Amino acid sequence: MYLEFHQVDAFTPRPFAGNPAMVYRLDSWLGEGLMQQIASEHNLAETAFLVREGAAWHIRWFTPATEIPLCGHATLASAKVLFELYEEAGEAIDFVCQSGALRVTREGERLVLDFPTAQAQQVPVSTALEQALGLPVLEAWQGNELMAVVASEQALRACRPDLRALAELPGLGVIVTAPGERHDFVSRYFAPGIGIDEDPVTGSTHCSLIPYWAKRLGKQELSAYQCSRRGGELHCRLQGERVQIAGEAVLVASGRLYLNEA
């Protein structure tokens, strides 16, 4: 028995940049343990599994260590695969997941994610957070992730965190963000507690980043860049309780995973 997989680099127009994700389109669900093993085998930040349910696609995402409730770049990658390889009709694809209804729309070369905003509450800046990041933190916000606002893009790029200490902090991971030099804002994302030391480009963190920066900068449309080694550009828009996150994606590999039926 074999399963087809497709690897896509998301939030980039060229291969070997942006954030790689693995995509499996399934006829029916595999066991949860098997999906986790497959994700661990690929060892990418996320592996997405898709099963059609009515007019929508049910989507689940696994890191090498655990299942997560929301992922932007692997959803973008999944839409790329459905549109281009499986010839999904129309200009929009609806997904359902643990976090509710999602949609991806084609706009020229870009794919646009429509996600819910993520709420966060401002919390005191802890000594543990500053020590783990190794730099001063101006503000801290707690939601599903812990977000640290720092003074500049230069400071953000120079950050060399203590990953073991970060894994002990509350939340799925730690977002570090700052005003951008060429973009409205920049960010990085560290989630060693769920098997991702540093994610190259993270769509889901922008569900909290966009509302924060929209309010701070007084604008609804924003340009963003995630300053990882691979890097990725995101075109962002706040629309009420939803965010739109647009980017390009490129297919880089397809193949078969063989399963031992014994």
Side-chain angles (χ1 to χ4, degrees):
M1 175 184 175
Y2 67 84
L3 302 172
E4 290 186 352
F5 62 78
H6 309 285
Q7 184 172 331
V8 174
D9 288 342
F11 294 114
T12 179
R14 64 186 186 278
F16 315 125
N19 201 352
M22 199 66 71
V23 179
Y24 282 84
R25 194 193 78 155
L26 305 174
D27 293 326
S28 60
W29 291 114
L30 304 171
E32 193 168 295
L34 178 57
M35 289 190 288
Q36 185 63 72
Q37 286 180 309
I38 292 170
S40 299
E41 182 74 11
H42 288 303
N43 200 34
L44 296 178
E46 266 83 32
T47 296
F49 298 91
L50 317 171
V51 172
R52 184 180 284 282
E53 294 184 358
W57 289 88
H58 192 156
I59 185 168
R60 297 175 69 177
W61 309 275
F62 288 79
T63 77
T66 189
E67 184 174 7
I68 59 171
L70 186 66
C71 177
H73 84 277
T75 306
L76 199 79
S78 297
K80 178 78 171 179
V81 167
L82 291 175
F83 277 132
E84 294 202 0
L85 297 183
Y86 295 101
E87 299 180 346
E88 188 79 2
E91 295 302 312
I93 298 175
D94 290 311
F95 294 95
V96 293
C97 68
Q98 290 183 31
S99 300
L102 312 174
R103 172 169 282 194
V104 181
T105 305
R106 283 193 286 200
E107 289 186 2
E109 295 299 316
R110 292 179 186 170
L111 295 170
V112 184
L113 301 170
D114 181 56
F115 276 19
T117 57
Q119 301 301 315
Q121 299 293 324
Q122 189 166 10
V123 295
V125 176
S126 68
T127 301
L129 175 60
E130 291 191 313
Q131 288 181 342
L133 292 176
L135 77 170
V137 175
L138 304 180
E139 298 176 25
W141 295 77
Q142 184 68 64
N144 289 333
E145 289 90 13
L146 179 60
M147 183 171 76
V149 183
V150 300
S152 67
E153 180 173 329
Q154 181 179 5
L156 180 143
R157 287 180 178 272
C159 179
R160 298 293 183 269
D162 180 336
L163 295 173
R164 185 171 298 179
L166 284 185
E168 299 300 319
L169 296 174
L172 292 174
V174 177
I175 307 165
V176 187
T177 188
E181 296 172 0
R182 297 184 179 180
H183 298 80
D184 290 312
F185 67 92
V186 293
S187 67
R188 294 173 69 185
Y189 181 54
F190 306 96
I194 59 171
I196 306 167
D197 287 349
E198 180 172 4
D199 200 30
V201 193
T202 317
S204 61
T205 58
H206 287 73
C207 294
S208 52
L209 285 163
I210 294 169
Y212 173 84
W213 286 104
K215 182 176 181 180
R216 177 165 165 174
L217 299 177
K219 56 195 299 187
Q220 303 300 298
E221 297 199 18
L222 305 119
S223 64
Y225 188 79
Q226 193 153 331
C227 301
S228 65
R229 180 180 59 82
R230 291 171 65 102
E233 190 168 28
L234 307 94
H235 306 270
C236 308
R237 183 184 303 123
L238 177 65
Q239 290 193 322
E241 297 301 313
R242 308 287 294 185
V243 292
Q244 293 187 342
I245 309 163
E248 296 184 54
V250 58
L251 178 71
V252 295
S254 291
R256 292 177 173 181
L257 176 77
Y258 291 91
L259 299 177
N260 185 347
E261 296 182 89

